[in-house]
Amino acid sequence: RLSERRDVGAAKGEGDTTMAANKKLLILPGDGIGVEVMGEVRRVIDWMGKKRRLSFDIAEDKVGGAAIDAHGTPLTDEAMAKAQGVDAVLFGAVGGPKWDSLPFAQKPERGLLRLRKEMELFANLRPAIVFDALVDASTLKPEVVKGLDIMILRELTGGVYFGTPRGIETLPDGQRRGINTQVYTTNEIRRVAAVAFELARKRKNRVCSAEKANVMESGVLWREEVTRLHQESYQDVELTHMYADNCAMQLLRNPRQFDVIVTDNLFGDILSDEAAMLTGSLGMLPSASLGAADSSGRRKALYEPVHGSAPDIAGQGLANPVAALMSFAMALRYSFDLAEDADLVEEAVRKTLDKGIRTGDIAGPGTVEKVGTKGMGDAVLGQLTALAG
Ligand code: NAD
């Protein structure tokens, strides 16, 4: 199971909540529209507290440019320690023109990289969901993407982005040579494959593992280890293998054939962006990054919209909060094992879109009312109340 924790007292409508350990959240809104969209997440959390009797301990801190301005660093040690101690970090977005000229090591993005590194978040979950109401936002034909709901699971801390030797060297004849090394160990492969199988059990029970075992030894090892783990512990899940280049083609040809795709850091970087674009808008895309399970089954976890801080629309109340709200739904599902509440948030978003309520980024055919960030939050809260209030 992805989340073994059972907060018995948190069961809805069952009276005694005194035994419940509060769910600990750290909210890091960051910069630009990160702040705006996290404001709407906060309202949904408050709604959950009141109407679903879910009690959260919420801490908030600065990250990115906001932390640079306040403390001279994109993430303080105190904020890092808080992130290590909570059940889930909800992250907005970082960056903006104000900090663009800083040296690389001091940029806002370093705050996010530090969180990922020190929390050892090795499993990056990128769902690609096409809502019926937005089926025309995709560049693919509606009959290809209608009803799409797949999950790309990318290994995030290993592979060619981190392998050594790496660098650029000058050869005796004066040519230069750039070097990166693709490396994976048994454990790195098995732990991400285990997450894929666990995820599949909560979905349609199918995993497709993508590598290049035809031309890369690391791919051969990947395929062998995924197969071995499957035989040992997950025979109830359907497992297939695909070369990553074919997977890229199949994602465009017939994306609905997939449920969970698990792949390495490099291929996952590319395939997850490809899958994202099957769905249309950046403002709709959530993500989660998970670490290893501790002895109680708790995984460190960070949830964030895929989009950035969008300086072009920041401060104007125009940002679409859906990616952030869907990221919070992922936190409910994967960190707190609250599938019913996660479904509720997703259903409220779906119903809001069905009614034709749209922010500017997704305002296309079928728009009945164009709203801003807060208007979208209001509409989702209204649907939540209609569904469960
Ligand atoms: P971006 O995702 O911020 O914006 C790209 C385009 O999509 C913009 O036109 C923006 O207005 C639009 N957009 C994005 N999210 C939206 C939303 N929720 N609602 C409506 N429209 C939305 O990417 P960018 O412009 O390349 O980068 C801007 C800044 O964000 C840079 O400083 C970059 O480094 C940073 N960034 C941060 C993250 C992160 O925090 N994880 C990710 C990507 C980029």
Side-chain angles (χ1 to χ4, degrees), residues 31 33 37 91-97 99-100 107-109 112 116 281-284 304-314 318-324 359-362 373:
D31 307 316
I33 66 166
V37 297
F91 186 96
V94 291
W99 306 282
D100 274 351
K107 275 192 188 297
E109 288 77 2
L112 178 57
R116 285 185 183 154
S281 169
L282 259 179
M284 299 291 298
E304 56 173 326
V306 168
H307 63 73
S309 57
D312 54 335
I313 57 165
L318 297 175
N320 185 352
V322 168
T359 43
D361 57 314
I362 51 171
T373 312

Side-chain angles (χ1 to χ4, degrees), residues 278-315:
L278 299 173
T279 71
S281 169
L282 259 179
M284 299 291 298
L285 298 168
S287 79
S289 301
L290 307 179
D294 66 16
S295 55
S296 71
R298 183 176 88 96
R299 288 177 188 275
K300 288 189 178 148
L302 182 144
Y303 299 86
E304 56 173 326
V306 168
H307 63 73
S309 57
D312 54 335
I313 57 165

